[in-house]
Amino acid sequence: MQQKYNPQTIERDAQQFWQTRDSFRAVEGGGKPKYYCLSMFPYPSGKLHMGHVRNYTIGDVLTRYHRMKGFNVLQPMGWDAFGLPAENAAMANGVPPAQWTWDNIAYMRKQLKSLGFAIDWSRELATCSPDYYRWNQWLFLRLLEKGIAYKKTQVVNWDPVDQTVLANEQVIDGKGWRTGATVEKREIPGYYLAITKYANELLSALDTLPGWPERVKAMQANWIGKSYGVRFAFPYTLDGKAEKLWVFTTRADTIMGVTFVAVAAEHPLAARAAQGNAKLAGFIDECKRGSVMEADLATMEKKGMPTGIFVEHPLSGEKIEVWVGNYVLMSYGEGAVMAVPAHDERDFHFARQYQLPIKQVIDIEGQAFSTNGWQEWYADKERGVCKNSNKYNGLKHSAAVDAIAADLAAKGLGEKQVLYRLRDWGVSRQRYWGCPIPIIHCASCGDVPVPDKDLPVVLPEDCVPDGSGNPLNKRADFVNCSCPKCGQPAKRETDTMDTFVDSSWYYLRYACADSKTAMVDERVNYWLPADQYIGGIEHAILHLLYSRFWSKAMRDLGLVKLDEPFKNLLTQGMVLNEIFFRKPAAGRITYYNPADVDVSVDAQGNRSGAVLRADGQPVESGGIGTMSKSKNNGVDPQALIETYGADIARFYMMFTAPPEQTLEWSDASVEGAARFLRRVWSLGFEAAQRGKVALPATLPATLAAARRELHAVLKQANYDLGRHQFNTVASAAMKMLNTLEGVLKGGNDDAVNAVLHEGTSMLLRLLSPITPHIGHQLWIDLGYGSDMLDAPWPEPDAAALIESETELVVQVNGKKRGDIRVARDAGKAAIEAAVLAHPEVQKFMAGQPAKKVVIVPGRLVNVVV
RNA sequence: GGGCGAGUGGUGAAAUUGGUAGACACAAGGGACUUAAAAUCCCUCGGCGCAAGCCAUACCGGUUCGAGUCCGGUCUCGCCCACCA
């Protein structure tokens, strides 16, 4: 055994040991309760970043902890391997995306292994492998049969940089989620998945997920956006034909206040009105081209134009004019709204802009309505009652809605409707590096599904994209085929699937990654749902919603017995670092990596300045931000692992912040973690020299106190592990080390060494989920066993925690004035007497009688004067 | 505009149901060891005060014997959604 802590050799040996023994292979069954610990799989971008290290360290801590607690644990790993970066890299380097991707996977797998994660590598999968994506295609065909997948032509979000369609969820602030390019609108045919059929279940089942953060559930509920309202029609006659203009409203109670109707620029009625109306046609064109930036939209001036078409109010029969309004969305509801300027803020501003009538139909007692300016209460549906509304006068919101909906229904002009904000999920992408959509286009048979026997439709792996659209279109050997129905020459679909399809079910495939004959098998029902899912908050909506939908769809196909795929969700915080830059008078900002900047501090420890090491000149601080290429503030995990080793990197990650919070990078704190593990090693070395000694029946008081402290800290640490607060578990390990070093200095007799050994064995096991390598080695060196993974989780000894005397804090009027030691079983009267006799207490009571004495057992006594 | 969350030393952070605020660290300062440095070890470390003590968990108020924690209000920051009818 070496006296000096040498992480490199220790870690290499431990990893070899685990590999030789195949320690982390998970096998179904065996009588233990199962624990499926799942981390979001990485995109193989080239190398790991700190976010990955943090994510997988959290997963590994939970994995190893549960394993020692007696669970049958599965921790798998795979690769979200399709996607655009591979195409961009291919263009930059002239290498096919497949090769780039597989090279990256090989490198990142090596990195993950060097971090010592307890992963069952036999279940590894990559979504770009035909063995995996054939099942995307297979399931897509099943969904097509069920009508959940369907084709339609629709106005879509078009990313001009990536040259592809984006789902609504992938448009952020009017920009592509990946490229940041301003999204355009285009009309394109594509395949859609009817996620809206599951809207209600996706929403209501959120209540069955107590192990999910409220924040994520709120975001999903918000996104699904359930609204209760009334869908109804304004009848009209055009070109001699009776027609209906449908609208949706959540405020049917204000229906008697309708003074105009507004339709979206894309609405068919707008197009009809624009015929022979060049001015209107021009306006509609302007609206369609207009910005889709939400920030712009929210502040954009209300613009509109009358169509000259009039409709009839369904209840009053009044003539109402139809306007085209730039604030009406074609994609929500009917693309048309009833406008009630008196009680809707947008309608109000629009009406004022164009001098349209404003008619108050909701009254709140004591509030005076005015058309001069908008007041919050105009839209208050809780307090108001109907007025100027004939037979509905005096009714409150819900009663009025009921009555009006009933009257509309009686006329066949409307009914109550539940509407969702959620849209169907467009999955066609005009990209090469993705899963081919298994469809063949035949001139006579139309769109024909590829027969199951011909799956997978294999993506050619030797294409090099050149930026001019999808290279598959130029691959005659891929495109040309024969129609499965009639045998005539046909064309293969060249669109590929959204990569979110790949990641919507990979967690199921881990359970049966070797299955050649089926997408999933019975083993899925053993492992799923995942007991713990860990990943970034950025997937709160997209990936997690799609995955929930996908597993429900598979359930309804009878493939899995599963309502929800992820029982508990932990959203880990981001890894941040300082930002330094210089902004020349002219030219672009340059960012400098914090590793190249020297920061000086004054005597109080306050920051006094920062200079670039290379030239000694000052740089400006840009605060703290997520590690990113654009801010040049990333720290490469590889350098960290090579300099310090996996255990120190892992310990630092766990100690610095609780898992859900952001983690601010600090080189000095990494050094602190290294210091701690060196001390652990020294302690282990010393303990090994002294030899193992069994605990005697009785211990001297100081050793009993030390032992009590060790067990009390362990008790708290176990509690903290249960609630995933790993930073205080790391703190607990530090406290135990401090205590044990004190014990060590107390002498070198059997009693000392007995406490030392018991404490060290507890410490190593408590640390082992976080720093498994050092634990593995010391466990052997100290003679506790040959494989720490087989050791039981340490539990505090209740007997060690018992004290003959307890210390109570003494307060007078809620302020601490001292403390007393009393017998553990001291009665109330004895405690009270002891406290009242305490000199500090007497001093602060200043001769006044005690009004009341509050005793909190085992904690404190408060004397009220 | 709507929703959710958070504000504690120079810094990262602790404080389970209301019960000793700042555990455990980092940084800083002082000291020991050393020819010297690194490493290691010891001490100090929220503010004011010589001290007794007082003040301190964004701010104001409330409940309570007792509030970082509960309630009401204000301010600031972060995230998500957003002309969703």
Side-chain angles (χ1 to χ4, degrees), chain A residues 590-616:
Chain A
T590 310
Y591 289 94
Y592 297 96
N593 196 284
D596 302 326
V597 172
D598 281 329
V599 169
S600 49
V601 289
D602 63 20
Q604 282 78 47
N606 293 316
R607 163 80 53 90
S608 56
V611 297
L612 186 66
R613 197 169 307 125
D615 60 14

Side-chain angles (χ1 to χ4, degrees), chain A residues 10-160:
Chain A
I10 290 169
E11 291 174 8
R12 190 198 56 215
D13 292 350
Q15 286 163 18
Q16 215 156 39
F17 178 92
W18 296 323
Q19 186 166 346
T20 309
R21 290 222 178 173
D22 203 7
S23 295
F24 307 123
R25 182 183 290 273
V27 179
E28 292 76 19
K32 292 179 183 174
K34 67 95 184 175
Y35 184 83
Y36 181 6
C37 187
L38 176 72
S39 288
M40 289 184 186
F41 65 167
Y43 177 79
S45 55
K47 52 187 184 179
L48 294 184
H49 55 67
M50 280 302 173
H52 291 131
V53 177
R54 192 176 192 198
N55 194 155
Y56 304 136
T57 301
I58 293 167
D60 203 47
V61 168
L62 287 165
T63 293
R64 289 171 177 274
Y65 169 64
H66 281 89
R67 181 188 174 126
M68 286 174 76
K69 285 284 269 186
F71 288 85
N72 184 28
V73 182
L74 166 62
Q75 179 173 238
M77 186 52 68
W79 309 94
D80 187 13
F82 272 137
L84 276 161
E87 292 191 37
N88 294 334
M91 276 190 274
N93 310 322
V95 179
Q99 191 192 326
W100 182 84
T101 302
W102 288 111
D103 287 351
N104 289 348
I105 287 174
Y107 183 75
M108 290 170 76
R109 185 193 298 116
K110 209 175 122 202
Q111 286 190 301
L112 287 174
K113 287 189 171 176
S114 76
L115 281 159
F117 296 135
I119 290 166
D120 179 356
W121 285 102
S122 74
R123 295 167 189 259
E124 179 182 3
L125 57 81
T127 58
C128 66
S129 138
D131 288 342
Y132 182 83
Y133 67 68
R134 69 175 298 170
W135 301 112
N136 281 2
Q137 297 171 344
W138 182 83
L139 195 85
F140 178 83
L141 296 175
R142 302 291 84 76
L143 293 176
L144 209 57
E145 288 160 6
K146 277 205 104 185
I148 291 175
Y150 62 94
K151 191 182 189 182
K152 69 175 171 182
T153 297
Q154 203 178 311
V155 178
V156 296
N157 306 300
W158 180 259
D159 187 318

Side-chain angles (χ1 to χ4, degrees), chain A residues 490-661:
Chain A
K491 302 274 183 204
R492 198 178 287 287
E493 170 69 54
T494 58
D495 280 0
T496 54
M497 293 185 200
D498 183 1
T499 56
F500 278 106
V501 170
D502 310 331
S503 56
S504 288
W505 68 281
Y506 75 106
Y507 50 90
L508 301 173
R509 186 68 184 175
Y510 281 139
C512 53
D514 57 1
S515 172
K516 298 263 184 283
T517 52
M519 182 177 191
V520 289
D521 62 29
E522 212 21 61
R523 288 173 288 175
V524 168
N525 294 325
Y526 173 79
W527 289 113
L528 272 289
D531 297 275
Q532 185 66 58
Y533 197 24
I534 306 144
I537 185 74
E538 66 273 21
H539 293 109
I541 297 172
L542 301 183
H543 163 61
L544 290 170
L545 192 65
Y546 293 149
S547 293
R548 294 180 61 222
F549 157 67
W550 198 274
S551 53
K552 286 172 194 298
M554 283 182 69
R555 174 201 63 195
D556 291 348
L557 286 163
L559 296 166
V560 292
K561 298 182 189 116
L562 181 74
D563 289 320
E564 286 288 337
F566 316 122
K567 200 168 156 205
N568 294 292
L569 176 68
L570 190 157
T571 49
Q572 117 243 13
M574 302 214 241
V575 183
L576 313 181
N577 200 1
E578 287 202 72
I579 299 165
F580 293 105
F581 67 93
R582 280 186 196 148
K583 192 173 191 299
R588 299 178 52 171
I589 291 186
T590 310
Y591 289 94
Y592 297 96
N593 196 284
D596 302 326
V597 172
D598 281 329
V599 169
S600 49
V601 289
D602 63 20
Q604 282 78 47
N606 293 316
R607 163 80 53 90
S608 56
V611 297
L612 186 66
R613 197 169 307 125
D615 60 14
Q617 296 304 303
V619 291
E620 286 185 67
S621 168
I624 307 275
T626 316
M627 284 189 180
S628 72
K629 270 186 195 153
S630 62
K631 296 280 158 56
N632 189 16
N633 64 340
V635 177
D636 185 1
Q638 194 57 34
L640 182 70
I641 298 165
E642 281 166 17
T643 313
Y644 290 99
D647 279 346
I648 290 170
R650 294 166 58 121
F651 186 84
Y652 166 75
M653 284 279 167
M654 292 301 98
F655 173 68
T656 306
E660 308 226 280
Q661 264 180 51

Side-chain angles (χ1 to χ4, degrees), chain A residues 284-305:
Chain A
I284 289 170
D285 228 41
E286 186 192 320
C287 288
K288 283 184 182 172
R289 275 200 325 272
S291 167
V292 288
M293 291 271 296
E294 272 87 5
D296 292 351
L297 287 173
T299 54
M300 199 160 38
E301 199 189 344
K302 298 278 174 292
K303 278 189 188 165
M305 225 182 212

Side-chain angles (χ1 to χ4, degrees), chain A residues 15 21 114 129 173 176 181 183 305 307 320 335 341 394 430 437 511 542 610 639 655-656 664 703 742 790 817 839:
Chain A
Q15 286 163 18
R21 290 222 178 173
S114 76
S129 138
D173 290 340
V183 168
M305 225 182 212
T307 60
I320 308 253
Q430 293 66 47
I437 292 175
L542 301 183
F655 173 68
T656 306
E664 285 175 38
L703 284 177
D790 297 332
R817 297 303 179 191

